[in-house]
Amino acid sequence: WILDNSEGHVLQGLQNGELTGWMAAALCNQVGRLLVEVGHLERGDHLLSHARAVHEQEGTLETYEGATLLSDMGHLMDKRGDLDGALATYTQARQVHNIA
């Protein structure tokens, strides 16, 4: 229930505009990662994708936080069985981590 409540608060904050910028990306990444870990892949994908869109919009995908997000997205792809996508995304995460 804690994870469901966390997801609900993040989604509500996004919807009403109270959650924006780096904080939106950080919370979407954290809650999305947890959702993926417990097997809620679609729900996790929704939040991770939102985090990526924010990072791209803010120009912060090539930061440590962006590398963490990419790694989490690679993990999601791996759990879905998309090994090629996972490898490409892990590689991108590593490249960003090396320059960040």
Side-chain angles (χ1 to χ4, degrees), residues 23-99:
M23 183 59 74
L27 290 174
C28 284
N29 190 18
Q30 291 172 3
V31 175
R33 177 186 319 124
L34 291 172
L35 286 165
V36 169
E37 282 301 315
V38 298
H40 297 293
L41 304 184
E42 292 304 315
R43 291 165 53 192
D45 183 23
H46 177 73
L47 290 179
L48 293 175
S49 294
H50 188 83
R52 183 176 182 138
V54 171
H55 276 294
E56 289 173 344
Q57 201 171 37
E58 300 283 323
T60 57
L61 191 59
E62 293 189 357
T63 62
Y64 176 80
E65 291 79 11
T68 300
L69 169 65
L70 291 169
S71 179
D72 292 338
M73 294 185 88
H75 182 66
L76 169 64
M77 291 175 187
D78 184 30
K79 288 192 91 156
R80 285 183 166 161
D82 178 7
L83 300 182
D84 291 334
L87 179 60
T89 306
Y90 282 138
T91 300
Q92 185 181 9
R94 183 174 178 201
Q95 290 169 343
V96 169
H97 184 19
N98 286 339
I99 63 171

Side-chain angles (χ1 to χ4, degrees), residues 1-14 19 24 26-35 43 47:
W1 63 269
I2 292 173
L3 185 53
D4 290 334
N5 283 340
S6 297
E7 179 188 20
H9 284 294
V10 169
L11 293 173
Q12 183 178 11
L14 293 172
L19 188 57
L27 290 174
C28 284
N29 190 18
Q30 291 172 3
V31 175
R33 177 186 319 124
L34 291 172
L35 286 165
R43 291 165 53 192
L47 290 179

